[in-house]
Amino acid sequence: MTRNTKINALLLLVVAALAVLPLALGLGDDEKEPFAGADAQAETAITEIDPGYEPWFSPLYEPPSGEIESALFALQAALGAGVLAYYFGLRRGRRQGELHARAQLDAAHGASGAGESTAQGA
């Protein structure tokens, strides 16, 4: 195994552990909604502190259910990951293209330069 393969396997194991351990250890079992988002937890805390609190604004779109809200969030995350992957792939492709073009240019100059030096020596 190469060093990169070992690092990738270790990272994959850590990500899997982060996803599975909270479920396996039963974290959040004592809560009504064990894995609620930060927005819901903040709303609960504000309501406990000041029951008469009125929000400054309302959302532009309120999904009909939590499942649809989760799906839209996952779609947003997937689109963001796709944009980042495209950007980094484009940068890497450009860098590899520049290196390839430079290598071809150096090879072309090296071949023509060798011919000139032998012609001058004769």
Side-chain angles (χ1 to χ4, degrees):
M1 276 179 126
T2 65
R3 183 173 187 262
N4 285 339
T5 305
K6 289 178 184 177
I7 290 172
N8 288 340
L10 181 64
L11 288 174
L12 184 62
L13 184 65
V14 168
V15 168
L18 285 173
V20 172
L21 281 177
L23 298 172
L25 297 176
L27 299 177
D29 284 346
D30 57 335
E31 297 178 17
K32 187 171 115 179
E33 291 184 43
F35 299 106
D39 292 344
Q41 291 177 352
E43 183 180 344
T44 303
I46 290 171
T47 306
E48 288 175 3
I49 294 170
D50 183 10
Y53 176 76
E54 290 292 322
W56 295 356
F57 57 89
S58 60
L60 296 175
Y61 172 69
E62 187 72 34
S65 70
E67 290 83 8
I68 294 175
E69 186 176 356
S70 293
L72 290 174
F73 180 75
L75 178 64
Q76 177 185 357
L79 288 173
V83 168
L84 284 174
Y86 174 77
Y87 171 74
F88 286 119
L90 184 67
R91 280 189 53 200
R92 182 175 181 183
R94 283 184 179 170
R95 192 175 333 119
Q96 286 178 344
E98 287 173 2
L99 291 173
H100 183 68
R102 191 173 299 138
Q104 283 184 337
L105 189 62
D106 289 344
H109 282 276
S112 65
E116 290 174 5
S117 63
T118 54
Q120 289 176 355

